[in-house]
Amino acid sequence: MSIALQVAVTHVMARRRQSVVSVLGVTLGVGFFIGASALMQGSQNDMVARLVDSAPHITISDEYRTPLLQPVAASFVGGAVELRGAKPRDAVRGIKDSPGMIATLETWPGVAAAPALSWQAIIRFGGRDVAATVSGIDLEREPRVSNLAADMVRGRLEDMRTAANGIIVGESLANDLDAAVGDTLTVTAPSGVVLKMKLVGLFRTGITTMDNFETYVLLKKAQILQERPNVVNRVRLRLADHALARELAQRIEARYRYRSESWQEANEDLLGLLVIRNIILYTIVTAILIVANFGIYNVVSTVVHEKTRDIAILKSMGFTQADIRRIFLLQGALVGSFGAVSGWLLGFALVQLLGSVEIRLRGLVDVQHLPVDNSLVHYAIAGAFALAAATLAAYLPARRAARLRPVDILRGAA
């Protein structure tokens, strides 16, 4: 052990009460930083995982991001022409050549596609009316783009094939209707077609907006209800790497012109709120660590004040300014190191405690347990920040100690 480290340890041990209080402050700061970081990251990962797993990564709709130009506007682009009383052309809705589009997209690496026909409908049961989204799906392709089959809590997807007019609804929507599997629901489409459908299954994704408003029927039944044979208005894609969804959606939209929306774009507001929440909580927890390191500053400053004669003696023995500065910096580093290690233990205990808490919330996501992410990155960040802040807190007193002159100290003592 070097002489500087021996002197630093002696000074820290000589003021045990103050040193313990400083270590405790760093411990609490590091522990709460790790606990809060694990909770924030865990909740964010859980939210993103639910969004990614419960819905397709890219949805191609029969809409255009910018309205198509009317014939007169296309003929006189930028011209000084005014036309009054023109009736806009009513284009036929639906994705043109959807089978060809699906076949082409599935030749791209890591892409699976499935068609759908979605619209808003009124579902009635027992005198209760509920507005819902009805999606006609292809049972052969649907498992490739969603986890609907795995989210079933009653019945199976295949039951829609065996029933005459089978329908699958979200568990929360069924509760709103007070309907159970086997009941007959009345589905009214915007076209005015009314169809009696048998409830053959319930699903639960944990995303409240889906469980409350989403329903699924066979694609052919949906086309009958909408009176749109062989028409689809959605092509849904699932990727091997969901992080590439935004880039791939832009490529698809540039090629086919149809609006292609990635899961990041569809949930942009929610993801933005998560970023703001993380900034706020990280700022608060970091402030706790900074306040805790004021204790180290006070301890080292007091030691410098009390050990002025010792500093004079050390300098008289040949210690340089760098040696004196190193002694007091080591004191701050020692307190910060002990605080970081004990804070790791406290943080680990907090993460285990938070992960065992059972809670149920009714909101965007139905939570059963607090999601936590016990990542080593959080421990590394907390430890590095604590050590750096502790060393920085000791720097100013150490710098003052290094500038003291032995002659002035001894004259003052005399």
Side-chain angles (χ1 to χ4, degrees):
M1 184 184 296
S2 66
I3 297 177
L5 183 57
Q6 291 182 21
V7 175
V9 172
T10 302
H11 286 174
V12 171
M13 298 302 296
R15 303 182 63 84
R16 294 183 180 179
R17 181 176 299 177
Q18 291 85 346
S19 299
V20 168
V21 172
S22 298
V23 170
L24 182 60
V26 177
T27 299
L28 293 176
V30 171
F32 284 121
F33 182 93
I34 293 172
S37 298
L39 185 59
M40 287 187 296
Q41 190 65 44
S43 62
Q44 180 171 321
N45 292 346
D46 180 71
M47 173 74 74
V48 172
R50 289 174 182 265
L51 292 175
V52 170
D53 291 340
S54 61
H57 298 158
I58 299 176
T59 300
I60 306 172
S61 62
D62 62 341
E63 301 174 354
Y64 299 96
R65 194 171 295 273
T66 56
L68 296 178
L69 293 176
Q70 294 297 323
V72 63
S75 301
F76 301 97
V77 177
V81 177
E82 180 181 0
L83 181 65
R84 299 179 181 179
K87 294 183 179 180
R89 182 175 56 188
D90 190 9
V92 178
R93 298 294 297 271
I95 296 177
K96 298 179 181 179
D97 190 24
S98 58
M101 176 189 293
I102 293 173
T104 301
L105 293 175
E106 287 193 330
T107 61
W108 296 8
V111 177
L117 178 61
S118 302
W119 78 97
Q120 299 296 315
I122 301 297
I123 300 179
R124 168 172 291 189
F125 178 76
R128 300 183 181 183
D129 293 337
V130 174
T133 300
V134 180
S135 297
I137 58 175
D138 185 340
L139 290 187
E140 300 296 332
R141 292 182 173 273
E142 184 63 25
R144 305 178 189 176
V145 300
S146 73
N147 289 336
L148 182 59
D151 293 331
M152 298 295 297
V153 294
R154 294 287 306 277
R156 302 176 304 163
L157 281 181
E158 292 75 12
D159 294 338
M160 286 195 295
R161 200 192 307 273
T162 58
N165 292 312
I167 184 172
I168 292 175
V169 306
E171 187 178 41
S172 299
L173 191 148
N175 293 334
D176 292 341
L177 289 172
D178 196 19
V181 173
D183 291 334
T184 300
L185 310 180
T186 302
V187 180
T188 304
S191 61
V193 177
V194 179
L195 191 63
K196 298 289 186 179
M197 308 200 74
K198 183 179 180 180
L199 181 57
V200 297
L202 306 176
F203 66 87
R204 182 178 181 276
T205 64
I207 306 294
T208 306
T209 52
M210 296 187 65
D211 296 340
N212 282 346
F213 302 105
E214 294 288 339
T215 67
Y216 298 93
V217 299
L218 290 177
L219 180 58
K220 291 298 182 182
K221 297 296 181 183
Q223 292 168 344
I224 293 174
L225 273 169
Q226 278 286 78
E227 295 183 339
R228 303 175 70 184
N230 302 319
V231 174
V232 300
N233 62 358
R234 299 285 187 274
V235 173
R236 305 186 296 165
L237 307 181
R238 191 172 187 86
L239 312 181
D241 184 1
H242 66 269
L244 302 176
R246 190 186 294 273
E247 177 185 351
L248 189 59
Q250 293 174 352
R251 288 177 53 194
I252 295 172
E253 187 166 327
R255 176 169 180 171
Y256 293 102
R257 300 184 63 191
Y258 289 115
R259 182 184 181 95
S260 301
E261 191 173 60
S262 64
W263 69 269
Q264 295 102 322
E265 182 182 355
N267 300 282
E268 198 164 8
D269 293 341
L270 178 59
L271 296 177
L273 289 176
L274 291 177
V275 173
I276 295 175
R277 183 202 63 168
N278 289 346
I279 292 174
I280 294 174
L281 290 181
Y282 274 123
T283 302
I284 294 174
V285 178
T286 302
I288 295 175
L289 272 175
I290 294 175
V291 172
N293 283 282
F294 276 105
I296 298 175
Y297 174 81
N298 291 332
V299 170
V300 178
S301 295
T302 304
V303 171
V304 171
H305 179 72
E306 293 181 352
K307 302 296 182 180
T308 52
R309 295 189 61 185
D310 294 349
I311 295 171
I313 295 172
L314 290 174
K315 283 197 168 185
S316 300
M317 295 171 60
F319 278 70
T320 64
Q321 287 190 9
D323 295 329
I324 300 299
R325 187 163 52 245
R326 186 180 301 111
I327 289 173
F328 291 100
L329 285 176
L330 283 172
Q331 292 183 42
L334 285 171
V335 175
S337 299
F338 285 120
V341 173
S342 56
W344 287 345
L345 298 176
L346 176 62
F348 180 80
L350 284 175
V351 171
Q352 299 302 315
L353 178 63
L354 291 171
S356 64
V357 175
E358 184 174 348
I359 185 172
R360 288 183 175 273
L361 298 175
R362 300 292 296 177
L364 179 64
V365 176
D366 189 6
V367 180
Q368 295 181 346
H369 287 86
L370 285 178
V372 293
D373 180 20
N374 196 13
S375 173
L376 292 178
V377 176
H378 301 150
Y379 292 82
I381 292 175
F385 186 84
L387 185 60
T391 305
L392 182 62
Y395 175 75
L396 293 178
R399 183 183 178 187
R400 186 172 69 250
R403 289 181 174 181
L404 293 176
R405 296 193 303 172
V407 175
D408 295 337
I409 296 173
L410 295 177
R411 284 177 178 176

